[in-house]
Structure formats: C-alpha cells, structure tokens
Amino acid sequence: MIKVVFFDLDDTLVDTSRLAEMARRNAIENMVRHGLPVDFDIAYQELLELISEYGSNFSRHFDYLLRRLDLPSNPKWVAAGVIAYHNTKFAYLRTVKGVRRVLLDLQRAGYRLGIITDGDPIKQWEKILRLELDAYFDEVFISDYLGVKKPHRKIFEKALKKMGIEPSEAVMVGDRLYSDIYGAKQVGMNTVWFRYGKRADKELEYIDYADFTIDSLEEVPRIVRGLSDEEGEERSD
C-alpha cells in the first residue's frame, strides 16, 4: 500500500526554469541600465556560461561576470544585478498549476507527503515558505544539507528511513528522468515522471525507469490511488 508521496521541488512543485531565466535577464538589463558598458546579449551569454561552470548556487555570479568581461570591480553594477534578480524572484515566484489542489487531495486521502530536492537549503526553504507550501509536507530532504545529491541512492534511502516506510510504499514524482526517476527506481520506489519545464525532452535514455508519465500534476492522485488499489486486489487474491 502506498503510504508516502515524495515530490521534487524545482519544476515539479515550483515553476523554476522560466523564473530563473526572467530573473537573470532582468539582472543584466538593470546592470546595463546603470552603466555596465557591455551589450546585453554579450553579458547575458557570459552569465549563462558562468552559471554552467560554477552552478546556480554560486554566490558571486555578478562579481565574476565583471572579471570575465575584463571590467573593474564595481559595486554599483553588482548591486543593480542583485536587486533586479531578487525583485524578479519575489514578484514572479509561482507554483506549478494545480499544486495546492493535488497536495490537499493527497492529504485528505491519508497519504503523507515529502520533498526530495537538490540545492542550497536556504534557497529551497525560501521557495517553500514564500509559497506557503510547508504545511502540506511531513518532511523535506535537501541534498546540500544531507551531503548527498540525487540520483545517489542514499538520499532516497535517508528519506525512506526517516518516514519509516519500505520503497514499495513510496511514490517519487519529479521532472528529471535521471535525478528523480532513475534515482528513485534504483531503491525500488514507484516513479512518476512529470514531463514539464526545460527537462521535458531531456535524458530520455532513462525513460524506462518511469512507471508513469504525466503532463499535468493533477494526474498524481489518480495514479497513487490506482497503485494502492492494485496492491489491495493482489492481497485479496
């Protein structure tokens, strides 16, 4: 019987990809507006390369951007980028369509809920708290706090142990076939690939690890109930 439904956070519960792109573009535009002597397209492309090399959680993107552009350190330009980036995040942070309805439906049906996500703990908790999603979840597991990232089996095993369940009693819902679906399936969890965001057509070599594929998060309660009904029928046989 299914007891716990785990969700990834970014581009599963929270519409992150489009928000990040918008925030980065607005940051560069604001830096140019305040005197950055570089064409927008050049600066934006350098920023994307920098993020690819150092990761999205690196804290000095705009300082390093100036170095890459062979420009002197300028706190005004950096501040302009930081302000626009965070203002955009705060103004446009949104859940994926139907999230609260899905979570409430699962809660009312008696399922416990958890989040298994990669990323910086402060940034991930900021999204959860700003969107007031914390009350829906029994536990939140974040890679940078636990010291292990998806798809490593240990992060899933830690989550299962904390929730006191077997892998067959859990469902993992996520947008990344490699990190979320392949990772969860390695420990024996049921998997639901949410085909959404920038990963909707990526990592397809791992698609066989998905037990279900969905285009709307609102399909999750039906799938979870179906899994529970199947197990009940098997036991009665």
Side-chain angles (χ1 to χ4, degrees):
M1 178 180 290
I2 302 301
K3 296 180 179 179
V4 177
V5 183
F6 292 107
F7 291 87
D8 172 53
L9 184 64
D10 296 314
D11 282 335
T12 300
L13 297 174
V14 181
D15 196 346
T16 309
S17 292
R18 280 178 286 188
L19 174 66
E21 180 182 358
M22 188 188 307
R24 291 164 186 163
R25 285 185 172 277
N26 288 350
I28 297 299
E29 285 179 359
N30 205 36
M31 292 175 79
V32 171
R33 190 179 301 118
H34 286 87
L36 183 74
V38 179
D39 178 75
F40 170 86
D41 291 331
I42 293 173
Y44 183 66
Q45 207 50 49
E46 286 288 349
L47 178 63
L48 293 183
E49 290 181 13
L50 197 158
I51 291 168
S52 176
E53 293 169 19
Y54 286 86
S56 60
N57 290 323
F58 184 58
S59 62
R60 301 186 66 192
H61 285 137
F62 301 122
D63 297 281
Y64 274 44
L65 176 63
L66 298 185
R67 297 180 188 180
R68 291 174 76 100
L69 294 169
D70 296 321
L71 294 171
S73 176
N74 187 314
K76 177 184 176 182
W77 297 340
V78 172
V82 170
I83 289 168
Y85 182 85
H86 286 293
N87 283 352
T88 303
K89 276 181 57 181
F90 299 154
Y92 294 99
L93 186 66
R94 298 285 187 274
T95 60
V96 170
K97 180 184 176 183
V99 162
R100 287 181 174 80
R101 189 160 51 249
V102 168
L103 299 179
L104 188 58
D105 189 351
L106 291 169
Q107 267 192 336
R108 286 175 172 170
Y111 299 104
R112 289 183 290 150
L113 305 178
I115 291 174
I116 303 177
T117 180
D118 286 338
D120 175 84
I122 302 299
K123 288 185 176 181
Q124 298 304 71
W125 269 113
E126 182 184 20
K127 295 168 193 170
I128 294 167
L129 294 176
R130 282 188 178 277
L131 292 169
E132 299 182 343
L133 295 176
D134 54 307
Y136 293 102
F137 294 96
D138 297 84
E139 297 287 348
V140 175
F141 304 91
I142 304 175
S143 64
D144 287 13
Y145 182 76
L146 296 173
V148 59
K149 287 183 68 173
K150 296 180 292 186
H152 201 295
R153 63 184 298 121
K154 283 186 179 179
I155 192 169
F156 297 100
E157 290 171 343
K158 285 174 180 285
L160 293 167
K161 183 177 180 181
K162 179 74 173 181
M163 299 294 265
I165 57 171
E166 296 298 320
S168 61
E169 297 173 320
V171 175
M172 178 68 199
V173 182
D175 69 299
R176 293 200 60 176
L177 279 169
Y178 179 55
S179 298
D180 301 317
I181 304 308
Y182 168 74
K185 185 53 69 175
Q186 293 309 289
V187 299
M189 295 168 67
N190 300 281
T191 56
V192 179
W193 178 40
F194 180 28
R195 192 163 47 193
Y196 186 84
K198 65 182 181 182
R199 304 284 178 179
D201 59 352
K202 307 292 185 183
E203 304 171 338
L204 296 178
E205 64 270 30
Y206 295 97
I207 197 168
D208 288 344
Y209 293 94
D211 296 316
F212 302 91
T213 297
I214 59 175
D215 294 305
S216 167
L217 212 60
E218 293 173 297
E219 298 177 58
V220 171
R222 174 185 57 79
I223 290 171
V224 173
R225 289 190 180 95
L227 287 169
S228 294
D229 290 344
E230 282 178 15
E231 186 164 332
E233 289 175 5
E234 287 176 6
R235 288 184 177 179
S236 63
D237 290 344

